[in-house]
Amino acid sequence: HVQLVESGGGSVQAGGPLRLSCAAHYTYSWYCLGWFRQVPGKERELVASFKGDGSTSYVDSVKGRFTISQDNAKRTLYLQMDSLMPEDTAMYYCVADRLCESRNRYWGQGTQVTVS
């Protein structure tokens, strides 16, 4: 059983920061964690993620502005978002891939980020 609970979303002015958190509850196995976002009418986009070797990956549009991190002891995933732009407005989802395989993906309920 996997449960992902996001928090930290909200409204912010352009140029400001926001930090998202995701509390991951799971037992056994090994997971790679990441963040997706989705704008109504568009496909979900992988924003940032951890790979199996511990390295990180970012979509080009957020490189240099967003930072993904995790506290393994707390099983919490973070997304520090700086220099936010209106185009970052979206629903942000935490995901956990069991054994780092996308076919075994679990989703959180999402948290809304609005940049104006």
Side-chain angles (χ1 to χ4, degrees):
H1 176 68
V2 177
Q3 185 180 24
L4 304 171
V5 182
E6 301 101 332
S7 60
S11 297
V12 63
Q13 290 189 341
L18 204 61
R19 189 176 83 155
L20 304 181
S21 299
C22 173
H25 303 279
Y26 53 82
T27 57
Y28 310 114
S29 201
W30 174 42
Y31 293 83
C32 282
L33 305 179
W35 292 95
F36 273 76
R37 66 185 179 187
Q38 186 173 28
V39 175
K42 294 187 177 181
E43 292 187 357
R44 287 181 178 178
E45 174 184 52
L46 179 59
V47 177
S49 65
F50 280 98
K51 299 179 180 179
D53 62 1
S55 62
T56 56
S57 177
Y58 297 90
V59 67
D60 286 345
S61 59
V62 307
K63 286 181 180 178
R65 300 189 299 119
F66 289 12
T67 303
I68 189 172
S69 62
Q70 59 185 350
D71 184 327
N72 290 326
K74 295 181 179 180
R75 287 190 174 178
T76 301
L77 180 71
Y78 303 99
L79 185 66
Q80 177 66 43
M81 304 183 293
D82 297 317
S83 302
L84 281 162
M85 301 185 293
E87 46 265 48
D88 294 317
T89 295
M91 183 71 79
Y92 284 72
Y93 297 90
C94 174
V95 296
D97 294 347
R98 186 171 62 84
L99 300 179
C100 297
E101 295 180 353
S102 60
R103 61 178 178 175
N104 303 324
R105 177 163 290 159
Y106 297 86
W107 295 82
Q109 82 287 352
T111 185
Q112 178 68 37
V113 172
T114 302
V115 185
S116 59

